[in-house]
Amino acid sequence: MEKLTFYALSAPEKLDRIGAYLSERLIRDVSRHRYGYVCIAMEALDQLLMACHCQSINLFVESFLKMVAKLLESEKPNLQILGTNSFVKFANIEEDTPSYHRSYDFFVSRFSEMCHSSHDDLDIRTKIRMSGIKGLQGVVRKTVNDELQANIWDPQHMDKIVPSLLFNLQHVEEAESRSPSPLQATEKEKESPTELAERCLRELLGRAAYGNIKNAIKPVLIHLDNHSLWEPKIFATCCFRIIMYSIQPQHSHLVIQQLLGHLDANSKSAATVRAGIVEVLSEAAVIAASGSVGPTVLEVFNTLLRQLRLSIDYALTGSYDCVAGVSTKIIKEHEERMFQEAVIKTIGSFASTLPTYQQSEVMVFIMNKVPLPSLQQSIEAGKAGENRNRLTQIMLLKSLLQVSVGFQCSNMLTALPSAFLDRLLSAALMEDAEIRLFVLEILISFIDRHGNRQKFSTISTISDISVLKLKVDKCSRQDTVFMKKHGQQLYRHIYLICKEESNVQAHYEALYSMLMLISIELANEEVVVDLIRLVLAVQEIAQINEDNLMAYNRCALFALGAAYLNLISQLTTVPTFCQHIHEVIQMRQKEAPYLLPEDVFVERPRLSKSLDRLGPEVFFWQSKISEVLGGSGYNSDRLSTPYIPQLTDEDRLSKRKSIGETISLQVEVESRNSPEREQRAPAEEITYETLKKAIVDSVAVEEQERERRRQVVEKFQKAPFEEIAAHCGARATLLQSKLNQIFEITIRPPPSPSGTITAAYGQPQNHSIPVYEMKFPDLCVY
């Protein structure tokens, strides 16, 4: 062998003839079953290959590969393993000159086949499979960096290599036959096809460039589909964990895009399959956080929300097709519920990986998808449409809550832009109790920036709030601006939610948390005053009971007010204020314990039906609070003014309309635009003084306008039908007369300037000038 090697090195041009001779000998020995000579010939080839790196090695390699192929074709496992080992040695050699004509197609196919070996003997099967994996590893190493070689990333190669590796990852039967302790196992026993396949897959993916990721991932998805591996989802999650950690971080968004595309492709698959894909997406998103989720962030959420909408439709119709009953697959509603929960969890996972500004965009995007009963968005009619709308609203708000829980932003103005807040608060006025609760929870998660939420989970009147260990920061300038801009809007919605009959304990707890968190996170002196006025107005709702609330709702509102005023009085640290609140609470404990949270917000609330016969000593009085706080520097004028929420168009659109309100809206429009009004209003010259007066008197004008509206509404609600009909009839007659005048002016021809066509005064005009004879000014002619 030494002499042969020396001869080959000294006369490299003879190398191809040496290879051809050895190849001929080996092929003959294989066919004659002289395996000893086969081993000798193969060893000689290996040693020559390792020693000779000359320019003319290409022809020798051809002979070498022909012999390896011959061994791999053999049915003898030992020859297959021998051929594989030689190929692996060859794969580790870096050749000086590239080869233009060499093909590895046979080797990819054969090694993939060996990876799927089903030999009866377990040990031999394991050895053949390991040889196949090593062979594939060798092919990848040999071709992946050489641009002139056959492209290993082509689908025809990837569709064989990747499933072969996954097949061995999936079957871990060999692990059971190994010794239980890795310390006792020999080096040979430690390595199994599973571990080797994983290492090979990691190496393959680690070498994948941007353009090759798709071809490497697609076979994984097909393999998981074909073998129904999404449903237990353990193996699928394991595979994608390997993929996400192996590829270059900047390519991770490509994997996520492919998973999203696959989810869309499986839109009509079973809910368990879709849930598996979504779970894998969730895992992948968390890992991708270290790299990038990619440029199409909103597309990710768009896909997930579309799948959520489809799932709701499937659950309602019971069919994957538009026409119910056409589909042969039976849809199980609980499985669709599981899928929906998986999507919501994934939306949260994705959002948590994003920077703050993108999270804010995502929340606006989700909120714009929520169907709301407003003029801009049509709501589906009928019972099925209502169910679909309700489920969609709940699922999207759940998704929004998932995103908002992980959202941390110090500036409330950027966290809650006006358009987003308007839509969110309009959902707070809906009749569905569950939707209102979601909206409150979302608002709480935004406002709570110091983790105080859990400290207000139970409503109580504790005597010392220091035990709560609240984290209180001074209200920042941005927060002050936010409350100036949106404070009244928030108060109004809290007030209106308090009036809902369908509220349960969870709603009152959320309202309590909301009030307290605004007081801690966003409060300056003005906000505190407004919140106290608001809570006193809520007490008045329960006290007067115009909305005919049940005893529980009234007691809950009384208890809510007591708990809030108890805490806010201790936060303001005004002794006289604390004393007044404490006295009322003590009086309630003696006379009316059912007005305190300790008796109301329990499993079996103790209520009283005689709420209309309560004495004045158990109420918090606005005059008293105004007096004690006014003495400490608070705005006593504002404190003594009762809180009245403004009625807006949003309320009318969000709630069920009463006939009176609908008519009053029409009358308002008519009365504003009526000719009588126009005649009454003289042309007024606009000067600096008039503008100044308008600004100063704007509050009084608003009050007058509100009073006028109230009178109109009251008139249409309480006046007899005949009176209303007469009023509307008079309006209609006036409108008709005006229309007649307009038509008469329009139809009558213009007077002729020359006077040739004239008619006697009062006589009808029997003929008119044809259009083509009329003389129009130049500016009128196009």
Side-chain angles (χ1 to χ4, degrees):
M1 196 63 224
E2 285 176 12
K3 288 178 181 178
L4 180 62
T5 307
F6 177 75
Y7 175 68
L9 285 169
S10 55
E13 69 278 2
K14 302 288 185 183
L15 196 60
D16 55 323
R17 289 180 66 188
I18 295 168
Y21 174 73
L22 281 170
S23 175
E24 187 186 329
R25 284 292 302 268
L26 185 133
I27 290 165
R28 192 168 66 216
D29 291 337
V30 167
S31 59
R32 292 175 182 177
H33 306 289
R34 296 165 69 181
Y35 300 124
Y37 289 109
V38 171
C39 292
I40 292 168
M42 209 65 228
E43 193 175 338
L45 276 166
D46 286 348
Q47 289 195 28
L48 282 173
L49 196 64
M50 301 301 284
C52 305
H53 289 177
C54 56
Q55 296 279 332
S56 56
I57 197 173
N58 273 334
L59 292 172
F60 175 72
V61 168
E62 289 304 316
S63 302
F64 169 78
L65 289 177
K66 193 197 294 182
M67 291 159 67
V68 171
K70 186 70 180 175
L71 292 177
L72 292 173
E73 283 173 351
S74 166
E75 292 180 2
K76 297 282 181 184
N78 289 338
L79 292 185
Q80 292 174 17
I81 293 164
L82 180 69
T84 305
N85 291 341
S86 293
F87 183 83
V88 171
K89 287 174 191 171
F90 159 70
N92 289 328
I93 296 170
E94 289 187 17
E95 295 180 60
D96 298 331
T97 52
S99 171
Y100 298 91
H101 57 279
R102 200 179 297 156
S103 171
Y104 292 100
D105 291 8
F106 166 78
F107 294 102
V108 170
S109 300
R110 184 65 188 130
F111 288 136
S112 299
E113 197 179 327
M114 288 166 69
C115 286
H116 290 85
S117 170
S118 56
H119 198 281
D120 296 335
D121 190 320
L122 179 62
D123 288 337
I124 294 172
R125 182 164 75 232
T126 304
K127 285 176 184 174
I128 294 173
R129 286 188 183 179
M130 287 181 71
S131 291
I133 297 165
K134 286 175 184 173
L136 289 176
Q137 198 173 19
V139 173
V140 171
R141 284 179 183 171
K142 196 70 187 167
T143 57
V144 79
N145 292 325
D146 192 347
E147 292 178 4
L148 297 172
Q149 298 287 5
N151 189 358
I152 201 70
W153 300 107
D154 284 348
Q156 69 261 31
H157 298 313
M158 281 289 114
D159 288 349
K160 294 172 187 172
I161 293 171
V162 173
S164 303
L165 298 175
L166 292 177
F167 177 78
N168 284 281
L169 261 178
Q170 186 185 338
H171 291 79
V172 288
E173 63 208 346
E174 294 83 10
E176 295 167 7
S177 65
R178 291 186 293 162
S179 53
S181 170
L183 297 171
Q184 297 168 0
T186 62
E187 197 63 37
K188 193 174 183 182
E189 285 175 324
K190 275 183 187 176
E191 194 158 56
S192 68
T194 308
E195 291 164 2
L196 192 61
E198 184 180 331
R199 201 161 66 243
C200 185
L201 184 63
R202 286 183 187 278
E203 187 180 332
L204 176 72
L205 293 164
R207 292 169 182 268
Y210 182 87
N212 303 326
I213 292 284
K214 189 177 178 183
N215 288 348
I217 303 302
K218 196 174 179 185
V220 178
L221 298 171
I222 292 169
H223 181 84
L224 295 171
D225 281 348
N226 292 343
H227 295 272
S228 305
L229 295 170
W230 292 110
E231 290 178 42
K233 80 175 181 286
I234 300 161
F235 179 71
T237 308
C238 172
C239 279
F240 274 90
R241 205 174 280 135
I242 290 169
I243 291 166
M244 296 306 290
Y245 281 122
S246 301
I247 60 172
Q248 295 170 44
Q250 66 268 28
H251 299 158
S252 55
H253 68 274
L254 293 173
V255 179
I256 286 168
Q257 280 176 0
Q258 279 204 264
L259 276 167
L260 288 165
H262 197 64
L263 181 59
D264 272 345
N266 280 277
S267 288
K268 293 189 178 180
S269 299
T272 47
V273 172
R274 284 177 284 134
I277 299 171
V278 168
E279 290 277 355
V280 170
L281 253 172
S282 180
E283 290 273 345
V286 174
I287 297 168
S290 56
S292 65
V293 177
T296 55
V297 171
L298 291 181
E299 188 53 41
V300 171
F301 290 94
N302 198 26
T303 303
L304 289 170
L305 294 177
R306 185 167 62 247
Q307 289 299 324
L308 201 58
R309 189 78 189 247
L310 281 172
S311 176
I312 291 166
D313 286 346
Y314 295 158
L316 286 171
T317 58
S319 167
Y320 288 119
D321 298 298
C322 298
V323 184
V326 173
S327 176
T328 53
K329 296 177 186 174
I330 298 167
I331 292 177
K332 294 174 183 171
E333 201 168 332
H334 69 93
E335 287 182 356
E336 290 296 338
R337 286 269 185 279
M338 282 168 57
F339 169 71
Q340 289 159 17
E341 293 299 330
V343 171
I344 291 166
K345 180 187 160 196
T346 305
I347 286 171
S349 297
F350 262 117
S352 64
T353 65
L354 300 174
T356 306
Y357 75 94
Q358 278 190 327
Q359 283 182 330
S360 189
E361 284 176 10
V362 166
M363 287 188 286
V364 172
F365 180 74
I366 295 173
M367 194 64 229
N368 286 337
K369 296 268 183 188
V370 178
L372 295 173
S374 61
L375 291 174
Q376 293 80 18
Q377 204 159 0
S378 59
I379 289 287
E380 292 183 53
K383 189 162 186 193
E386 282 176 21
N387 286 341
R388 184 175 285 108
N389 289 326
R390 182 181 175 278
L391 281 171
T392 307
Q393 287 158 353
I394 287 171
M395 289 301 164
L396 290 175
L397 288 171
K398 262 191 186 178
S399 307
L400 193 57
L401 183 58
Q402 279 282 337
V403 180
S404 66
V405 165
F407 182 71
Q408 287 294 327
C409 182
S410 56
N411 189 347
M412 291 296 291
L413 278 169
T414 53
L416 289 167
S418 295
F420 174 77
L421 189 62
D422 290 346
R423 286 185 66 82
L424 185 62
L425 288 174
S426 65
L429 296 180
M430 295 180 75
E431 290 162 32
D432 193 286
E434 195 175 355
I435 290 173
R436 290 201 306 276
L437 188 57
F438 276 126
V439 173
L440 286 171
E441 292 292 345
I442 290 163
L443 285 168
I444 287 165
S445 62
F446 276 119
I447 297 168
D448 182 23
R449 292 168 292 179
H450 293 92
N452 289 316
R453 166 73 169 99
Q454 292 307 315
K455 295 163 188 175
F456 304 120
S457 55
T458 54
I459 308 179
S460 63
T461 51
I462 54 172
S463 55
D464 183 11
I465 62 164
S466 60
V467 296
L468 295 176
K469 296 178 181 174
L470 299 172
K471 295 176 186 173
V472 184
D473 276 353
K474 192 179 176 186
C475 182
S476 66
R477 185 177 166 277
Q478 291 97 330
D479 290 344
T480 305
V481 173
F482 173 79
M483 288 308 287
K484 276 190 180 298
K485 190 175 180 184
H486 299 296
Q488 293 302 324
Q489 201 179 0
L490 284 172
Y491 306 147
R492 195 169 70 82
H493 283 82
I494 291 170
Y495 179 84
L496 292 170
I497 291 170
C498 286
K499 295 176 79 167
E500 293 289 346
E501 272 187 65
S502 55
N503 287 344
V504 293
Q505 185 173 335
H507 290 87
Y508 296 114
E509 286 171 353
L511 285 164
Y512 175 65
S513 298
M514 178 102 164
L515 287 165
M516 284 315 306
L517 288 167
I518 293 173
S519 307
I520 292 169
E521 298 277 354
L522 305 169
N524 53 21
E525 192 178 297
E526 190 180 330
V527 172
V528 169
V529 167
D530 282 341
L531 286 169
I532 292 170
R533 288 173 62 224
L534 171 64
V535 171
L536 290 170
V538 168
Q539 177 187 259
E540 197 177 341
I541 293 172
Q543 193 176 348
I544 298 171
N545 197 23
E546 285 180 345
D547 298 288
N548 296 321
L549 296 173
M550 290 189 295
Y552 173 76
N553 299 93
R554 293 178 71 186
C555 289
L557 291 178
F558 281 125
L560 175 69
Y564 175 74
L565 289 171
N566 174 55
L567 278 183
I568 199 72
S569 65
Q570 294 180 59
L571 282 172
T572 52
T573 62
V574 176
T576 47
F577 183 31
C578 292
Q579 188 184 348
H580 170 63
I581 302 301
H582 188 60
E583 283 171 3
V584 175
I585 289 172
Q586 277 189 326
M587 190 58 70
R588 285 188 180 185
Q589 285 168 348
K590 287 179 190 172
E591 304 287 335
Y594 44 83
L595 302 184
L596 292 173
E598 286 78 8
D599 275 35
V600 178
F601 301 118
V602 288
E603 194 175 337
R604 291 183 180 175
R606 292 183 284 280
L607 307 174
S608 170
K609 291 184 180 177
S610 58
L611 292 173
D612 295 324
R613 295 194 293 274
L614 293 169
E617 67 279 357
V618 295
F619 295 122
F620 301 100
W621 290 99
Q622 191 149 4
S623 55
K624 180 70 175 172
I625 292 173
S626 171
E627 182 188 325
V628 294
L629 285 178
S632 300
Y634 285 85
N635 186 340
S636 57
D637 291 341
R638 193 170 178 82
L639 267 168
S640 57
T641 311
Y643 173 76
I644 301 167
Q646 295 178 358
L647 188 70
T648 65
D649 290 344
E650 179 191 34
D651 302 328
R652 299 190 184 94
L653 294 167
S654 300
K655 308 293 286 180
R656 285 172 294 203
K657 299 186 186 77
S658 72
I659 295 169
E661 284 177 345
T662 311
I663 295 170
S664 72
L665 272 172
Q666 294 168 353
V667 171
E668 271 182 51
V669 172
E670 283 178 11
S671 60
R672 279 182 186 174
N673 301 330
S674 67
E676 292 172 0
R677 188 181 177 89
E678 286 171 19
Q679 288 165 12
R680 268 202 314 273
E684 188 178 9
E685 187 184 352
I686 298 170
T687 62
Y688 171 75
E689 287 301 323
T690 56
L691 287 172
K692 184 179 175 184
K693 187 180 176 186
I695 293 165
V696 170
D697 295 341
S698 62
V699 178
V701 171
E702 280 179 16
E703 288 294 332
Q704 288 172 6
E705 183 70 14
R706 203 177 299 129
E707 180 61 26
R708 194 183 67 76
R709 283 185 186 181
R710 193 189 63 73
Q711 287 173 0
V712 170
V713 171
E714 193 175 340
K715 179 183 174 183
F716 276 85
Q717 283 176 339
K718 295 180 180 177
F721 175 74
E722 290 78 9
E723 189 181 325
I724 295 169
H727 178 76
C728 292
R731 291 270 177 204
T733 310
L734 181 68
L735 179 65
Q736 188 61 47
S737 65
K738 287 290 174 189
L739 284 172
N740 289 340
Q741 285 177 26
I742 292 162
F743 289 142
E744 191 179 345
I745 292 164
T746 311
I747 294 165
R748 185 185 299 159
S752 171
S754 59
T756 52
I757 301 172
T758 56
Y761 178 75
Q763 288 182 2
Q765 190 85 14
N766 293 325
H767 62 282
S768 59
I769 305 169
V771 175
Y772 55 84
E773 287 185 9
M774 284 184 188
K775 301 292 181 187
F776 291 97
D778 291 342
L779 289 174
C780 294
V781 181
Y782 178 70

